[in-house]
Amino acid sequence: MSKKRIAIFSIDAKLGHEVKGATRYVYLAETLAAEGYEVDFLTSRFQHWEKRQRDVESFDASVHSFNVRFIEEPGYPKNMCPQRIWAHHVMAKNMRAYFEEHHDYDLIYCQIPPNDVALAVGQSAKRYGIPFVVDVNDLWPEAFRIALDVPIVSDIAFAPFYRQARRTYALADAIVGTSDEYAARGFRDRAEDIPKVVAYVGNDLAAFDSGALAYGSQVAKPSGEFWVSYAGAMSNCYDLRTLVYAMSRLQRSHPFMKLKLMGDGTIREELEALVAETGCNVDFLGYMPYPQMAAYLVASDVLVNSLVENAPQSVPTKIGDYLAAGKPMLSTSMSPEFRAKVERDGFGVNVRPGDVEGLAAALERLEADASARERMGAAARAIAEDQFDRKHSYRQLVELVEQLTRSSR
């Protein structure tokens, strides 16, 4: 019996020896390949995180156990710009062309967003009778409203994104979400008459631990310092301004408290100006290889999940790594799902976004209570092992693929 053939689409994956990019779908592809499936990984030739075209000729695909198929897409300079909308439009057209020529698949597993590209993939799947799984990794255009929320104008501008999402979910044979809220989004405009699976983005816990161990000796933490750390994007979705204000206030009486910011993004220059204005002691560490980031998280004392009030994120990618570090989490997320999880599972403290005094007070309490930090850190690690380790949590995705491909072809 021939192997079942799977196509996985992700537009922003980290492949080969790249430092930046998403790993959720790459890990799933590796897992399915190990299960005996023949996997084609479809992605853009344009590297979203580094804003450059990949050198396909020199790309080393031997590091993966699946086939990589690069689809042409124009580049764009920023995450939010007209060129990106056009680039995804071209990508959608090229995905349709790809499936016109290559449609001998038993299942297509597709990331959304981009909404228009996911719709093109879904339409191709239906055209050729291929089971179609939508994996909700972010909410468009909900995320855009943080940067542009103008009455009537935004409704008109974002209407196509809503239509594309609605039509994509209508085509799905199963919907996967990286949180309960994200999975539920797929059923807002359709009956819940198909399989629904929630699988946190999570991480490879063994890889995290290995990286933290390998780089731990390279992270120089002076005796007596207390590190408050954030890892991830620096954009208007994240309440990093409040974090800088709170830390600058704390450092007047607690000069040993240091702020570590890992990552980069559109508001980094604004944050640097704010740091200069407030005198906050901050280390901008930039993007770093995953193992090195793991070592910094483990060396930290408190980790901050910093989101603005109207941010659509519920369980962001960073949460798996934060929990794996075994440190208490201070979260400003207003997601009902995640706020409830923080309280129920006992690994951190919820604070309202924008509340400088509340954030500073919560950090001060955590600094003063070592036993509370130890208790929350232990709870965090236990949740990481039980719910966020991909080795275990992605089994349900493999079972979903098995279920949907059982009767195909």
Side-chain angles (χ1 to χ4, degrees):
M1 182 177 180
S2 61
K3 292 182 179 180
K4 297 286 188 177
R5 298 192 69 227
I6 309 294
I8 295 180
F9 169 77
S10 170
I11 204 164
D12 58 355
K14 179 172 81 71
L15 292 166
H17 299 288
E18 294 170 346
V19 173
K20 302 178 183 179
T23 60
R24 174 179 177 84
Y25 306 100
V26 175
Y27 188 92
L28 178 59
E30 297 282 9
T31 301
L32 290 173
E35 292 284 328
Y37 292 92
E38 183 181 343
V39 181
D40 285 350
F41 195 94
L42 314 179
T43 193
S44 173
R45 185 185 169 202
F46 181 68
Q47 222 287 2
H48 163 76
W49 298 90
E50 298 178 358
K51 301 295 184 288
R52 62 169 177 82
Q53 293 290 345
R54 290 175 165 112
D55 183 353
V56 176
E57 297 300 322
S58 63
F59 177 77
D60 182 10
S62 65
V63 300
H64 299 300
S65 59
F66 52 81
N67 307 310
V68 179
R69 312 290 186 214
F70 290 112
I71 310 298
E72 292 295 325
E73 180 189 23
Y76 45 87
K78 297 188 296 184
N79 285 357
M80 292 193 66
C81 62
Q83 296 97 315
R84 186 177 185 185
I85 295 174
W86 172 251
H88 291 335
H89 172 75
V90 174
M91 184 69 171
K93 179 180 178 181
N94 289 342
M95 289 303 299
R96 288 191 183 93
Y98 175 86
F99 283 113
E100 284 178 9
E101 186 175 353
H102 309 278
H103 48 261
D104 188 20
Y105 290 110
D106 296 285
L107 181 137
I108 299 175
Y109 193 103
C110 182
Q111 170 190 355
I112 187 171
N115 297 9
D116 52 351
V117 184
L119 176 58
V121 175
Q123 290 171 332
S124 297
K126 286 304 167 188
R127 178 179 180 181
Y128 297 108
I130 307 169
F132 177 55
V133 179
V134 178
D135 189 305
V136 188
N137 192 57
D138 198 358
L139 301 182
W140 285 9
E142 291 88 339
F144 297 158
R145 285 188 174 273
I146 296 171
L148 179 64
D149 193 5
V150 181
I152 302 177
V153 172
S154 294
D155 290 338
I156 295 172
F158 296 146
F161 293 93
Y162 283 114
R163 287 197 299 270
Q164 291 158 0
R166 183 170 61 249
R167 293 170 65 191
T168 302
Y169 296 132
L171 293 168
D173 295 292
I175 292 176
V176 176
T178 56
S179 70
D180 290 325
E181 292 175 9
Y182 279 19
R185 173 63 184 88
F187 295 97
R188 185 184 301 171
D189 302 303
R190 64 164 296 163
E192 195 167 323
D193 54 355
I194 57 175
K196 177 177 73 172
V197 175
V198 176
Y200 299 134
V201 174
N203 60 4
D204 182 338
L205 201 54
F208 179 93
D209 291 343
S210 176
L213 180 63
Y215 280 83
S217 62
Q218 300 180 28
V219 178
K221 183 180 184 183
S223 176
E225 285 195 355
F226 187 93
W227 286 5
V228 177
S229 298
Y230 168 87
M234 297 179 185
S235 75
N236 286 315
C237 286
Y238 303 98
D239 195 25
L240 297 173
R241 301 173 185 88
T242 300
L243 180 57
V244 170
Y245 279 122
M247 285 297 295
S248 66
R249 177 174 300 189
L250 275 173
Q251 287 169 353
R252 296 169 194 163
S253 56
H254 301 71
F256 55 88
M257 296 182 72
K258 311 295 182 183
L259 179 58
K260 307 288 180 178
L261 298 180
M262 289 166 266
D264 208 341
T266 55
I267 67 168
R268 174 165 175 166
E269 289 186 4
E270 178 186 338
L271 290 174
E272 290 173 337
L274 183 60
V275 165
E277 174 190 328
T278 60
C280 187
N281 190 323
V282 181
D283 281 339
F284 286 90
L285 300 171
Y287 278 109
M288 58 183 62
Y290 182 80
Q292 186 178 4
M293 181 205 69
Y296 268 95
L297 294 181
V298 170
S300 300
D301 296 285
V302 175
L303 304 175
V304 183
N305 176 38
S306 187
L307 289 160
V308 298
E309 185 162 4
N310 59 342
Q313 292 91 335
S314 49
V315 186
T317 300
K318 64 171 64 69
I319 298 303
D321 296 322
Y322 278 16
L323 295 172
K327 303 296 178 177
M329 186 186 309
L330 200 155
S331 176
T332 68
S333 170
M334 291 304 292
S335 159
E337 176 182 354
F338 194 68
R339 290 183 74 85
K341 187 169 187 61
V342 171
E343 294 177 4
R344 181 180 64 250
D345 294 340
F347 55 76
V349 178
N350 288 316
V351 177
R352 291 194 66 89
D355 184 356
V356 174
E357 291 185 4
L359 183 58
L363 286 168
E364 188 173 29
R365 286 193 298 270
L366 284 172
E367 186 280 323
D369 194 342
S371 62
R373 296 200 308 272
E374 184 176 355
R375 182 176 64 253
M376 291 178 186
R381 178 67 189 200
I383 293 298
E385 294 173 357
D386 184 54
Q387 300 176 21
F388 284 79
D389 187 0
R390 290 173 176 172
K391 181 179 179 181
H392 306 297
S393 63
Y394 280 28
R395 287 306 309 172
Q396 58 187 326
L397 301 182
V398 174
E399 292 167 2
L400 176 66
V401 169
E402 290 175 349
Q403 173 190 339
L404 294 175
T405 58
R406 198 169 294 135
S407 57
S408 65
R409 269 215 276 180

